[in-house]
């Protein structure tokens, strides 16, 4: 099996200072939807405009966390819908 881009980068830790400031979590289902600044119902790193890499990869590079990969099922406060 070929490696995705997310396998090349170090995985973003939830307890990292920057991740904490962005309220990053590996599991978007743990986020209270009413606390989100954007009202879109389905918000995960996989459908965020800032994530890079291949659809379907479990870990993908993110423009917010340079050199790190985020969990495709994750979420942070910078989430933006793909256009």
């Amino acid at each position: 099996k070929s490696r995705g881009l997310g396998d090349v980068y170090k995985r973003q830790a939830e307890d990292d200072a920057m991740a904490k400031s962005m309220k990053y979590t590996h599991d978007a289902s743990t986020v209270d939807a009413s606390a989100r600044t954007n009202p879109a119902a389905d918000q995960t790193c996989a459908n965020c405009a800032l994530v890079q890499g291949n659809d379907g990869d479990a870990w993908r590079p993110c423009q917010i966390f340079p050199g790190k990969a985020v969990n495709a099922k994750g979420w942070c406060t910078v989430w933006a819908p793909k256009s």
Side-chain angles (χ1 to χ4, degrees), residues 25-40:
T25 178
H26 296 314
D27 183 359
S29 70
T30 64
V31 178
D32 178 359
S34 68
R36 296 176 177 161
T37 55
N38 187 312

Side-chain angles (χ1 to χ4, degrees), residues 18-75:
M18 185 168 172
K20 283 183 174 183
S21 72
M22 304 291 181
K23 298 183 181 175
Y24 171 75
T25 178
H26 296 314
D27 183 359
S29 70
T30 64
V31 178
D32 178 359
S34 68
R36 296 176 177 161
T37 55
N38 187 312
D42 183 29
Q43 296 184 24
T44 65
C45 294
N47 65 16
C48 179
L50 301 168
V51 78
Q52 302 169 321
N54 302 314
D55 286 342
D57 286 351
W59 291 86
R60 296 169 61 185
C62 176
Q63 295 176 46
I64 297 301
F65 304 107
K68 303 279 179 75
V70 294
N71 192 309
K73 295 178 182 177
W75 179 87

